[in-house]
């Protein structure tokens, strides 16, 4: 879908594609939406999404297709990146951002209610539960 908007970014994510294209995506409908997104777009380009959360993430994720930009737009959060020498904890307040490098497993802790903007290379994204038995090694 193309168009002028306005569109609610928390529900209607955007796809930034080849040749500078931008396309409005169907309404977000849960985790299976991401697989449909990759099929719909061919996985090239970037997904732009806005998420509210107040709880720590229950999963680790990793984006092998490229770097991900994470912008805290409201509240505060701690981005956690796995590193062979130990986890790197990056506190983010509203208006600050960090980069998750391609291939680096990451998760996040919420410091109360917060909102973050994600600019993600979604192709081949992987997820793993966040617990001591299954924490992936970078």
């Amino acid at each position: 879908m193309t168009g002028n908007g306005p569109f609610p970014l928390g529900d209607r994510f955007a796809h930034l594609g080849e040749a500078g294209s931008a396309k409005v995506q169907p309404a977000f409908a849960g985790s299976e939406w991401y697989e449909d997104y990759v099929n719909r777009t061919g996985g090239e380009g970037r997904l732009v999404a806005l998420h509210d959360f107040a709880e720590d993430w229950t999963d680790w994720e990793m984006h092998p297709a490229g770097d991900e930009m994470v912008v805290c737009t409201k509240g505060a959060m701690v981005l956690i990146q796995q590193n062979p020498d130990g986890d790197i904890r990056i506190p983010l307040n509203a208006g600050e951002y960090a980069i998750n490098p391609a291939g680096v497993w990451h998760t996040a802790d919420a410091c109360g209610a917060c909102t973050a903007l994600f600019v993600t290379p979604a192709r081949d994204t992987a997820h793993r539960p966040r617990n001591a038995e299954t924490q992936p090694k970078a």
Side-chain angles (χ1 to χ4, degrees):
M1 170 192 230
T2 59
N4 297 322
F7 303 102
L9 189 54
D11 178 53
R12 300 295 298 272
F13 304 155
H15 172 72
L16 303 179
E18 296 178 0
S21 67
K23 296 198 183 332
V24 180
Q25 296 301 295
F28 182 70
S31 59
E32 60 281 343
W33 184 95
Y34 292 106
E35 183 176 334
D36 294 339
Y37 165 78
V38 171
N39 291 335
R40 202 171 36 252
T41 63
E44 299 304 322
R46 304 274 188 203
L47 173 64
V48 180
L50 190 70
H51 288 288
D52 297 315
F53 56 100
E55 303 288 329
D56 298 347
W57 294 8
T58 59
D59 288 336
W60 291 92
E61 68 176 22
M62 186 267 294
H63 311 290
D67 299 340
E68 176 185 50
M69 180 179 186
V70 179
V71 183
C72 182
T73 62
K74 183 172 127 184
M77 62 188 285
V78 178
L79 190 62
I80 304 164
Q81 298 172 346
Q82 285 200 325
N83 182 302
D85 298 325
D87 292 350
I88 298 170
R89 300 178 66 80
I90 305 167
L92 295 175
N93 294 303
E96 297 178 329
Y97 75 93
I99 304 292
N100 287 318
V104 171
W105 286 95
H106 56 275
T107 191
D109 289 344
C111 302
C114 61
T115 303
L117 174 78
F118 299 87
V119 182
T120 307
R123 183 173 37 91
D124 298 326
T125 291
H127 294 91
R128 292 187 181 167
R130 186 177 173 184
N131 61 46
E133 293 78 35
T134 60
Q135 282 186 4
K137 299 298 179 200

